């Protein structure tokens, strides 16, 4: 039914726009849901009666990171399914439907308290499991599916298309990281989780539309998969990549993904006014994709060429420099957290001692005025 080899052409393959559109919508979906997850679990989770069923900060971190770990574990299984059984196209399409069901579970959570029919928690966990599995089917296949579309005559366009591919990922992540927290705060979970679900459904439909434009590389089967994996070239690749993926990459992501858990909770105690806007704590995650979009051309055209005059900038050296900068960045975050903990130790006693004592009862209004004069944030005053 479908082409299994690329056409002989020097132009961009016809299936590429469908892949880019799919990736843009899917990344909006994933990062929009993930961006509000910690805040939702600690502030919006209720039972069937509408009573608070919030998770503690620590339990919310556990759930968030277990979900993230699942989203990065299931690609191992998704890659094997694609190579051995279904091929990349069918793996992406069918597991994307599971992804959509997971988003539907999250969007339907709101109906439980409204109707009194169910608690939010079971739908939350069911949705997260399905989305983690869905991400596992998509992550290992999409980039490889892009490469399958190119032949020897147009492979020079691969760098260009992957630049657009990466741009689509971060554009979707940036927009969703700004919008979904607003929807959660102003409308409710049904829209905050429902909109990413709708975008995921659109992404799946767009991918299906491109089925006749794609090159469908068939699965190799178990025997060929094992033969290729454990051939001399395969063993050498595994041996060379194992130190990177077993030692450095897990540590990096374990630290980096705190941007969606510990950093969001940390932001609650910080002054979030910027450009005249008081940003929501979960919106701090938008800084990462925005900076990526801004810094890609700066590094590509200025920083890396300048560094190449001093030494050869290889991909591994870029990764090593990135690790050092990441460690430095998290040391700054640790210093901020230490400052916050010091500022909040015994705040009630410090405030009470700062209030004037004229023999009259100390009013709430006077407490608030004095707290603001002492530099307290609105969040600290509310807790006090």
């Amino acid at each position: 039914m479908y082409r299994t080899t690329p056409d002989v052409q020097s132009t961009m393959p016809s299936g590429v726009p469908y892949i880019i559109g799919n990736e843009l919508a899917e990344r909006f979906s994933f990062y929009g849901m993930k961006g509000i997850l910690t805040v939702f679990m600690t502030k919006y989770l209720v039972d069937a009666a509408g009573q608070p069923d919030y998770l503690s900060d620590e339990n919310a971190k556990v759930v968030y990171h277990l979900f993230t770990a699942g989203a990065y574990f299931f690609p191992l299984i998704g890659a094997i399914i694609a190579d051995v059984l279904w091929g990349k196209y069918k793996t992406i399409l069918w597991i994307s439907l599971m992804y959509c069901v997971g988003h539907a579970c999250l969007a339907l959570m709101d109906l439980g308290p409204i109707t009194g029919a169910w608690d939010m928690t079971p739908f939350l966990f069911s949705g997260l499991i399905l989305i983690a599995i869905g991400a596992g089917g998509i992550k290992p296949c999409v980039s490889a599916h892009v490469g399958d579309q190119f032949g020897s005559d147009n492979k020079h366009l691969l760098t260009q298309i992957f630049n657009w591919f990466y741009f689509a990922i971060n554009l979707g992540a940036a927009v969703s990281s700004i919008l979904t927290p607003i929807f959660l705060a102003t409308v409710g979970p049904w829209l905050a989780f429902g909109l990413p679900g709708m975008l995921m459904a659109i992404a799946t439909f767009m991918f299906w539309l491109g089925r006749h434009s794609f090159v469908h590389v068939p699965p190799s089967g178990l025997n060929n998969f094992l033969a290729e994996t454990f051939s001399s070239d395969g063993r050498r690749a595994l041996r060379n990549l194992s130190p990177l993926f077993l030692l450095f990459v897990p540590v990096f992501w374990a630290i980096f993904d705190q941007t969606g858990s510990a950093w969001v909770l940390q932001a609650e105690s910080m002054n979030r006014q910027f450009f005249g806007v008081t940003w929501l704590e979960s919106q701090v995650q938008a800084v990462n994709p925005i900076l990526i979009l801004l810094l890609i051309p700066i590094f590509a055209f200025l920083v890396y060429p300048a560094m190449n005059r001093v030494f050869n900038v290889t991909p591994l050296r870029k990764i090593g420099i990135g690790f050092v900068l990441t460690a430095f960045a998290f040391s700054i975050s640790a210093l901020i957290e230490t400052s916050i903990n010091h500022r909040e130790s015994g705040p009630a006693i410090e405030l009470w001692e700062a209030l004037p004592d004229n023999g009259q009862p100390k009013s709430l209004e006077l407490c608030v005025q004095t707290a603001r004069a002492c530099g307290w944030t609105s969040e600290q005053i509310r807790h006090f």
Side-chain angles (χ1 to χ4, degrees):
M1 290 179 61
Y2 304 115
R3 290 180 297 124
T4 58
T5 57
D7 292 333
V8 178
Q9 61 182 77
S10 59
T11 56
M12 195 70 72
S14 59
V16 165
Y18 296 99
I19 300 175
I20 297 296
N22 167 270
E23 189 67 9
L24 176 63
E26 188 272 330
R27 290 291 87 183
F28 182 106
S29 164
F30 182 79
Y31 285 109
M33 175 279 304
K34 188 180 177 187
I36 59 175
L37 187 56
T38 299
V39 170
F40 171 78
M41 291 187 293
T42 56
K43 291 186 176 181
Y44 291 87
L45 195 63
V46 297
D47 59 21
Q51 297 302 310
D53 193 21
Y54 310 147
L55 297 184
S56 66
D57 288 356
E58 294 306 315
N59 286 338
K61 290 179 186 178
V62 169
V63 173
Y64 178 90
H65 289 292
L66 282 175
F67 164 73
T68 304
Y72 286 102
F73 167 76
F74 284 110
L76 296 173
I77 299 176
I80 294 173
I81 291 174
D83 284 346
V84 174
L85 297 175
W86 292 351
K88 301 178 190 70
Y89 171 77
K90 285 185 178 179
T91 301
I92 295 171
L93 182 65
W94 290 113
I95 297 186
S96 290
L97 297 177
M98 186 181 298
Y99 205 138
C100 293
V101 174
H103 275 292
C105 289
L106 298 183
L108 290 172
M109 284 189 298
D110 250 2
L111 289 179
I114 293 174
T115 61
W118 58 72
D119 295 341
M120 283 185 166
T121 303
F123 275 73
L124 171 67
F125 291 154
S126 299
L128 292 180
I129 291 171
L130 291 171
I131 290 172
I133 295 172
I138 293 174
K139 281 180 180 293
C141 298
V142 175
S143 297
H145 186 59
V146 173
D148 288 345
Q149 310 308 307
F150 290 81
S152 57
D153 293 312
N154 58 357
K155 65 180 181 180
H156 62 282
L157 297 174
L158 272 171
T159 299
Q160 179 182 340
I161 188 58
F162 274 110
N163 284 339
W164 280 107
F165 184 77
Y166 198 50
F167 179 85
I169 290 174
N170 288 284
L171 178 62
V175 174
S176 64
S177 297
I178 293 173
L179 290 183
T180 51
I182 296 174
F183 295 147
L184 180 64
T186 59
V187 181
W190 70 268
L191 181 60
F193 288 115
L195 181 62
M198 288 186 284
L199 265 293
M200 188 60 225
I202 292 173
T204 304
F205 179 68
M206 185 172 296
F207 189 74
W208 176 80
L209 286 178
R211 65 195 184 281
H212 294 295
S213 299
F214 296 147
V215 173
H216 296 247
V217 175
S220 60
L222 180 60
N223 291 335
N224 289 333
F225 171 78
L226 293 175
E228 184 177 353
T229 301
F230 296 104
S231 65
S232 59
D233 289 340
R235 291 197 304 272
R236 184 170 61 252
L238 290 173
R239 189 168 54 250
N240 292 338
L241 291 174
S242 291
L244 180 65
F245 281 94
L246 292 178
L247 299 177
F248 295 104
V249 171
V251 174
F252 171 81
W253 285 108
I255 295 174
F256 178 80
D257 266 315
Q258 292 183 48
T259 54
S261 57
W263 278 21
V264 170
L265 298 171
Q266 184 186 74
E268 293 182 1
S269 302
M270 299 176 70
N271 182 355
R272 300 187 300 276
Q273 288 189 338
F274 189 64
F275 284 135
V277 178
T278 301
W279 299 89
L280 298 167
E281 58 267 36
S282 52
Q283 287 178 313
V284 299
Q285 298 167 86
V287 174
N288 175 59
I290 290 173
L291 285 179
I292 289 175
L293 294 173
L294 294 175
L295 293 177
I296 283 176
I298 294 174
F299 272 79
F301 297 111
L302 296 176
V303 176
Y304 289 144
M307 292 170 65
N308 269 319
R309 297 192 185 103
V310 181
F311 62 92
N312 184 27
V313 183
T314 65
L316 282 177
R317 287 175 177 172
K318 293 178 185 178
I319 293 173
I321 294 170
F323 281 143
V324 173
L325 293 176
T326 301
F328 175 72
F330 269 86
S331 67
I332 296 175
S333 177
L335 291 174
I336 293 173
E337 186 66 19
T338 301
S339 175
I340 291 173
N341 291 336
H342 177 74
R343 185 181 66 192
E344 293 183 349
S345 60
I349 297 175
E350 295 172 5
L351 176 60
W352 198 255
E353 290 176 347
L355 291 169
D357 186 1
N358 57 5
Q360 299 295 324
K362 296 171 180 178
S363 69
L364 176 61
E365 182 181 357
L366 183 58
C367 287
V368 172
Q369 291 175 352
T370 307
R372 293 193 186 281
C374 292
W376 282 35
T377 66
S378 298
E379 188 73 16
Q380 288 176 298
I381 294 172
R382 185 177 67 80
H383 282 300
F384 172 72

